[in-house]
Amino acid sequence: MNTCALKNSKGQAILEMLVVFILILGAWTAVSTFLRKSGTFETVFGTPWARLSNVVEFGVPNDKSASTNGGIHPAYPDRHSTRIQK
């Protein structure tokens, strides 16, 4: 029985998976950095994220700035259905 270290394949699959993982992670980082620097990422995800952010924050899917959305939220005192009538 030959126990030469070069012929021992123990851990070979783990090592190969680690190398593949590092290559994928490097490619992902390079692509995301390129998309961020070129402005493509903002173009693709900017407007939908702004709308989603406004829905989460104000309850209104509006593209306007956050300062104008506060007054149209359903729980705003002037729009609330249980407000005291003056």
Side-chain angles (χ1 to χ4, degrees):
M1 180 178 209
N2 191 356
T3 59
C4 182
L6 293 176
K7 293 186 179 183
N8 188 0
S9 62
K10 235 180 178 178
Q12 181 70 28
I14 293 173
L15 184 62
E16 288 178 5
M17 290 302 292
L18 186 62
V19 169
V20 168
F21 177 72
I22 290 171
L23 288 174
I24 290 173
L25 188 64
W28 178 266
T29 304
V31 168
S32 66
T33 302
F34 172 73
L35 290 176
R36 193 177 318 120
K37 285 184 179 180
S38 69
T40 306
F41 190 80
E42 182 67 30
T43 304
V44 172
F45 296 109
T47 303
W49 179 252
R51 290 179 58 88
L52 182 62
S53 175
N54 283 336
V55 169
V56 169
E57 216 173 316
F58 301 107
V60 181
N62 198 354
D63 289 335
K64 296 179 184 174
S65 68
S67 61
T68 61
N69 286 339
I72 56 176
H73 189 277
Y76 190 69
D78 291 339
R79 294 194 61 196
H80 201 272
S81 62
T82 60
R83 70 180 187 271
I84 298 174
Q85 297 290 332
K86 292 183 181 182

